[in-house]
Amino acid sequence: MKYRQSIDYLYGLTLHGIKLGLDNTRVLLGLLSDPEKSFMSIHIAGTNGKGSTAAMLSSLLLEAGLKVGIFTSPHILSFTERIQVNGKQVSEEEVVRLTDRIRRTMEGVKDLKPTFFEFVTAMAFLYFRERGVQWAVIETGMGGRFDATNILTPDVTVITSVGHDHKEFLGETIEEIAFEKAGIIKKETPIILGPLKGEALRVIMKRAEEMNAPVTEYGKDFSGELKGISPEGVRFDYRFNTSEKRNGDPGVPADGPEKQRIEGIRVPLTGKYQMINASLAIRAFQVVTGLCPQIREVTNTVRSGLSKTSWHGRAELLCFDGLPFLFDGAHNPEAASGLAQTIRDIHLSGRFREVTLIFGAMKDKDIEGLLRPLLPISGRVIFTALSYGRAETPEGLKRIADHVIKDMGHQRPVNISAAQESPVDAPSGGIAFHVSDSAGEAIALARSTSAPGDLVVVTGSFYIIGDALESLGYKGTLKRLSETR
């Protein structure tokens, strides 16, 4: 198949939208001789934190000397970010070759019409088998129960968090969403839980009991103790309470002391929540050590592996021509609240005096919930268009923000269009609102309105980060190849 034909085929799959279910994936992987059975795996679900946890866990496994694959979504700048082996992204040429291979395998199979995500999941698993991956870290695309990645029979499962997102697919209530995420729990497979509460915890624990899956919970069985936090990352100590071990958990070898407490850990990702994500990764790594006796050193592997973690677009601070930018893919209210807290506690309490917010989001997101924690910390907001058809317009975003400001009892913002010349500071403490037609225009406006000591925050979607980075000179690879979730 020619290059252009392969790419056009993949782009065509994105037009089918999102369809949850395992039938297509099961048939497709069967045609490829079940590549998902060729490696051991860790399956990660969660409303927030699953990507960071996957990246940290991949770094730990790699540091332990294993050959590691990681499959995540969505991408920020390049489609090739989604599929990596030993920290190296799949090449564009390999994407074309794998597309051709899978498409030819499908020829003649009646009624097999995979979605984009189903096809890419098969691509990742096939690539991992070809590359001889020993352990794969697999992030769910959405939910868990009917996500294409749930075709796996993993060796470890992780649920990082449960919050409101993708309601049209996963349900309106926390209980419904938790039920979908609990669908990744497999019989007698260790399940590691983030700091869940209430109905979410009840639903997931019920499923774990039904599947006789050994459970360890953050805050009960293991935890992190924060020692320091800065724009460069977090420092913490990790503790595991062996007295809380349940259901024959394989992740606590008898040699003990270093498994129970690891001090002096540093992660180059900032935000208190990253300590929690790192603790989940450590706990999963402990379980892996129980399954891989060749891993003898834990403490130094944890310290070294986590210190090398790289994960873009999560409270990532970069500087362009002297102007600092913070990029974060917060796309639901819980993530936006975490970002706001990080900005308030770390950035505005230190070197920066005011925030210029560049904000873009998809129509189907809880935009009001995203803006509610972010507006109070912003001096000016630039609402911008994303290069995706499902994006909310800048004018629509501003209307929602006007409502949020009024509802919160804040002073009405100063509304300024992108074409108007605007002051550096809005009068009387009001928030200056702008609209712009593109990320590039928004960045130009931020440059012209920012003063020394200002921080430009780009958020609302992973897609706005990709658009912004492109306008700042980064080159994407198959960037538009996305299911735009």
Side-chain angles (χ1 to χ4, degrees), residues 135-205:
W135 279 85
V137 182
I138 309 296
E139 176 192 353
T140 60
M142 185 190 303
R145 185 166 64 111
F146 291 131
D147 188 80
T149 63
N150 203 32
I151 201 73
L152 287 169
T153 302
D155 300 276
V156 189
T157 51
V158 180
I159 299 177
T160 60
S161 62
V162 176
H164 291 291
D165 201 9
H166 302 300
K167 291 182 180 181
E168 69 276 27
F169 295 101
L170 305 181
E172 292 288 333
T173 68
I174 288 293
E175 185 175 6
E176 290 173 326
I177 296 169
F179 179 77
E180 295 301 324
K181 296 190 187 303
I184 73 166
I185 300 174
K186 302 298 193 300
K187 188 174 182 180
E188 298 179 352
T189 300
I191 172 71
I192 299 160
L193 303 181
L196 307 181
K197 297 178 181 178
E199 284 301 299
L201 181 60
R202 183 189 66 78
V203 168
I204 289 172
M205 291 297 288

Side-chain angles (χ1 to χ4, degrees), residues 31 93 110 152 168 199 291 318 327 424 445:
L31 292 171
E93 293 73 22
K110 187 179 180 181
L152 287 169
E168 69 276 27
E199 284 301 299
L291 300 172
L318 300 172
F327 298 92
V424 170
L445 185 58

Side-chain angles (χ1 to χ4, degrees), residues 236-296:
F236 70 101
D237 295 343
Y238 171 85
R239 290 181 174 83
F240 178 71
N241 183 4
T242 56
S243 67
E244 294 291 342
K245 187 180 70 164
R246 285 168 279 172
N247 297 343
D249 185 351
V252 191
D255 57 359
E258 72 170 0
K259 311 294 184 182
Q260 298 175 35
R261 182 184 177 101
I262 303 175
E263 298 180 333
I265 300 168
R266 185 185 72 84
V267 179
L269 303 175
T270 199
K272 187 176 180 180
Y273 51 89
Q274 295 295 8
M275 176 188 71
I276 297 173
N277 295 334
S279 297
L280 293 170
I282 296 169
R283 178 67 201 121
F285 182 66
Q286 285 183 310
V287 177
V288 172
T289 64
L291 300 172
C292 295
Q294 69 267 35
I295 302 176
R296 299 181 180 275

Side-chain angles (χ1 to χ4, degrees), residues 312 316-320 323-327 455-456 469 474:
H312 298 298
E316 183 178 21
L317 187 63
L318 300 172
C319 194
F320 296 90
L323 183 62
F325 285 78
L326 187 74
F327 298 92
L455 173 67
V456 180
L469 289 173
Y474 282 71

